[in-house]
Amino acid sequence: MRLSRYFLPVLKETPAEAQIASHRLMLRAGMIKQQTAGIYSWLPMGFKVLRKIENIVHEEQIRAGHIPMLMPTLQPADLWRESGRYDDYGEEMLRIRDRHGRDMLYGPTNEEMITDIFRAHVGSYKDLPLTLYHIQWKFRDEIRPRFGVMRGREFFMKDGYNFDLDYDSAMHAYNRHMVSYLRTYERMGLQAIPMRADSGPIGGDDTHEFLVLAETGESEVFYDSAITDLRLGSREIDYDNWDEVAAICKEWTTPYARTDETHDAALFEAIPDDRRKTSRGIEVGQIFYFGTKYSEPMGATVQDSEGNKVAVHMGSHGIGVSRLVGAIIEANHDEKGIIWPEGVTPFHVGIVNLKQGDAEADAACEGLYAALTAAGLEPLYDDREERAGAKFATMDLIGVPWRITVGPRGLKAGVVELTSRRSGESEELAPDLAVARLKEIYAGHL
């Protein structure tokens, strides 16, 4: 993309309403525009990042054997009355009445609707196990929407639902989701720690939240620092192998890690002093096992091998896709702007032309643009008639992880400058070697 042709309405001043780094930087970098309290338009660069995160979530869900679908944003209230949650959910639920007087709601979550879909089409244990998921907009009428996309009223979320014959198979689904989430966050350049948590209005006894450590997090967290050394890396995982998946979950859940809601001071004090840590955390996902909480009242049953009707065991599993954009920025920024991890960056490399209009510099930039595009990378070429300082400031603000600087002086020596946004370190390379270096850097992210 050429910056002269792109819609990137960056702001020089920080809007007064922005209280945390991600909100400030998303507004300044032209990623979002607030339409009303807690509701945002996603402008082109913000939308690109949102889609990259969504694609990673899809890829890891499908890798784990989960099946994508799509449910509507509006739901009939009668389904929620069946489960008993319509009156219990509270004022966060946006209730609507259509022109025929039917009670509707803008879905904050989809347990009831997916249970209705299941009971309409599945009747035998032979059709299990089954996990369905979708990524869809949700709405919760927060009393105080704040912090931009971190606590908005409208948000983009992956929610998945498993249906299993018994407790053991449902717990394998729980473990499978935990492992798939660990891989998902790792691909985004995040370390999201699974922590024993409270189930809230979803219900159920088994639940873990995934929290990213950040000073602006809404939760106080207590953890053994040994958990921050764990990585899945490139290990291959057989999601159908119960023992293998359970072992990975045990590896991540054995070190102490809890939110303030479930914190156990005695257990925490037993951790060696040098590993006992407290911090703030941003919730970016949660997994639940709730058994027959929805299947029993809503009649979601199957016939088992002996011909008996049994209520299926269920769980739900969510990832805040739009919230992750903010969380990634909270964990990856400095005083100059955003620093995107390579896995989610809107553009892989920025090209800065120090002397726009110079024939040799223009030709070199065009050659780099073509070579990078042919290599499967997305460059952002700042071809504006603008001073070099302003071009550098824009690239730093929007967080492109790598920058190639092209100028007449370097070209005379046959080199361009490749700079890391994260470290600030630069090296001079021939243009073709700079392209080769970037291909190597992004080999695991394309």
Side-chain angles (χ1 to χ4, degrees), residues 274-308:
D274 61 328
R275 291 179 10 214
R276 197 184 307 139
K277 305 293 183 183
T278 61
S279 183
R280 307 293 298 179
I282 300 168
E283 183 197 340
V284 291
Q286 191 163 3
I287 59 176
F288 303 84
Y289 162 74
F290 43 68
T292 58
K293 174 181 171 66
Y294 298 94
S295 56
E296 282 188 351
M298 296 186 69
T301 62
V302 295
Q303 195 172 58
D304 67 15
S305 59
E306 297 177 355
N308 302 310

Side-chain angles (χ1 to χ4, degrees), residues 188-315:
M188 296 175 190
L190 284 176
Q191 183 168 57
I193 301 173
M195 300 191 180
R196 178 69 63 178
D198 180 68
S199 61
I202 301 294
D205 298 323
D206 291 281
T207 179
H208 280 83
E209 288 179 345
F210 292 79
L211 289 103
V212 173
L213 301 179
E215 292 179 2
T216 50
E218 68 268 66
S219 301
E220 187 175 13
V221 298
F222 305 81
Y223 65 98
D224 180 341
S225 64
I227 200 169
T228 61
D229 296 327
L230 298 176
R231 298 287 187 279
L232 281 175
S234 60
R235 74 173 91 169
E236 290 295 324
I237 298 163
D238 179 0
Y239 284 100
D240 292 327
N241 186 321
W242 288 30
D243 292 338
E244 180 183 351
V245 172
I248 296 171
C249 291
K250 185 177 180 181
E251 187 181 349
W252 257 264
T253 57
T254 297
Y256 187 92
R258 298 197 181 190
T259 63
D260 51 359
E261 295 171 319
T262 60
H263 177 52
D264 185 318
L267 289 176
F268 188 59
E269 290 298 319
I271 301 168
D273 289 350
D274 61 328
R275 291 179 10 214
R276 197 184 307 139
K277 305 293 183 183
T278 61
S279 183
R280 307 293 298 179
I282 300 168
E283 183 197 340
V284 291
Q286 191 163 3
I287 59 176
F288 303 84
Y289 162 74
F290 43 68
T292 58
K293 174 181 171 66
Y294 298 94
S295 56
E296 282 188 351
M298 296 186 69
T301 62
V302 295
Q303 195 172 58
D304 67 15
S305 59
E306 297 177 355
N308 302 310
K309 273 194 171 184
V310 294
V312 293
H313 288 246
M314 293 175 59

Side-chain angles (χ1 to χ4, degrees), residues 22 69 78 90 99 115 123 157 160 169-170 200 235 262 303 321 352 364 399:
S22 59
M69 59 176 297
D78 287 347
R99 68 193 301 166
T115 304
M157 178 180 171
S169 54
R235 74 173 91 169
T262 60
Q303 195 172 58
V321 177
V352 171

Side-chain angles (χ1 to χ4, degrees), residues 74 88 149 237 338 418:
L74 295 183
D88 294 344
V149 301
I237 298 163
I338 302 165
L418 180 64

Side-chain angles (χ1 to χ4, degrees), residues 17-20 22-24 26-27 32 34 36-40 42 144-155 322-323 326 330:
E17 73 271 19
Q19 296 175 285
I20 62 173
S22 59
H23 193 193
R24 290 195 301 270
M26 290 183 76
L27 290 169
I32 55 173
Q34 180 173 302
T36 188
I39 298 176
Y40 294 86
W42 289 76
R144 278 188 66 207
R146 54 192 177 132
F147 303 153
V149 301
M150 297 288 288
R151 189 175 291 177
R153 292 194 293 165
E154 185 182 56
F155 54 96
S322 54
R323 174 176 258 249
E330 289 295 329

Side-chain angles (χ1 to χ4, degrees), residues 3-4 55 76 269 326 406 413 443:
L3 194 49
S4 63
N55 288 340
E269 290 298 319
V406 180

Side-chain angles (χ1 to χ4, degrees), residues 14-268:
T14 299
E17 73 271 19
Q19 296 175 285
I20 62 173
S22 59
H23 193 193
R24 290 195 301 270
L25 292 171
M26 290 183 76
L27 290 169
R28 286 201 56 217
M31 295 178 66
I32 55 173
K33 181 187 183 302
Q34 180 173 302
Q35 301 303 147
T36 188
I39 298 176
Y40 294 86
S41 288
W42 289 76
L43 306 183
M45 195 178 83
F47 185 61
K48 274 178 74 70
V49 176
L50 189 70
R51 283 290 178 240
K52 288 210 170 185
I53 291 172
E54 180 187 7
N55 288 340
I56 290 173
V57 173
H58 272 303
E59 288 168 8
E60 293 305 325
Q61 286 300 295
I62 292 168
R63 189 201 299 258
H66 308 156
I67 304 169
M69 59 176 297
L70 186 64
M71 289 176 275
T73 56
L74 295 183
Q75 303 182 29
D78 287 347
L79 289 177
W80 286 65
R81 291 191 175 107
E82 278 190 66
S83 71
R85 283 207 301 176
Y86 185 68
D87 295 320
D88 294 344
Y89 205 88
E91 293 186 358
E92 284 188 356
M93 181 188 288
L94 182 62
R95 292 164 169 85
I96 304 163
R97 183 165 289 174
D98 71 10
R99 68 193 301 166
H100 301 291
R102 292 176 293 227
D103 289 328
M104 309 287 286
L105 59 101
Y106 193 133
T109 184
N110 283 74
E111 283 81 6
E112 284 80 3
M113 184 167 285
I114 197 70
T115 304
D116 180 56
I117 292 168
F118 177 89
R119 70 185 178 183
H121 299 288
V122 180
S124 170
Y125 75 98
K126 295 179 181 179
D127 297 319
L128 302 180
L130 179 65
T131 295
L132 301 170
Y133 81 92
H134 74 156
I135 300 178
Q136 179 62 289
W137 291 98
K138 305 283 193 297
F139 189 92
R140 293 176 189 165
D141 202 1
E142 293 274 357
I143 190 169
R144 278 188 66 207
R146 54 192 177 132
F147 303 153
V149 301
M150 297 288 288
R151 189 175 291 177
R153 292 194 293 165
E154 185 182 56
F155 54 96
F156 201 44
M157 178 180 171
K158 173 262 161 179
D159 47 319
Y161 305 90
N162 67 283
F163 300 88
D164 290 277
L165 187 61
D166 53 31
Y167 173 80
D168 288 341
S169 54
M171 287 310 296
H172 172 60
Y174 185 95
N175 292 342
R176 192 175 64 238
H177 277 86
M178 181 177 289
V179 175
S180 71
Y181 279 21
L182 291 170
R183 188 185 284 283
T184 297
Y185 298 126
E186 211 166 279
R187 284 186 59 188
M188 296 175 190
L190 284 176
Q191 183 168 57
I193 301 173
M195 300 191 180
R196 178 69 63 178
D198 180 68
S199 61
I202 301 294
D205 298 323
D206 291 281
T207 179
H208 280 83
E209 288 179 345
F210 292 79
L211 289 103
V212 173
L213 301 179
E215 292 179 2
T216 50
E218 68 268 66
S219 301
E220 187 175 13
V221 298
F222 305 81
Y223 65 98
D224 180 341
S225 64
I227 200 169
T228 61
D229 296 327
L230 298 176
R231 298 287 187 279
L232 281 175
S234 60
R235 74 173 91 169
E236 290 295 324
I237 298 163
D238 179 0
Y239 284 100
D240 292 327
N241 186 321
W242 288 30
D243 292 338
E244 180 183 351
V245 172
I248 296 171
C249 291
K250 185 177 180 181
E251 187 181 349
W252 257 264
T253 57
T254 297
Y256 187 92
R258 298 197 181 190
T259 63
D260 51 359
E261 295 171 319
T262 60
H263 177 52
D264 185 318
L267 289 176
F268 188 59

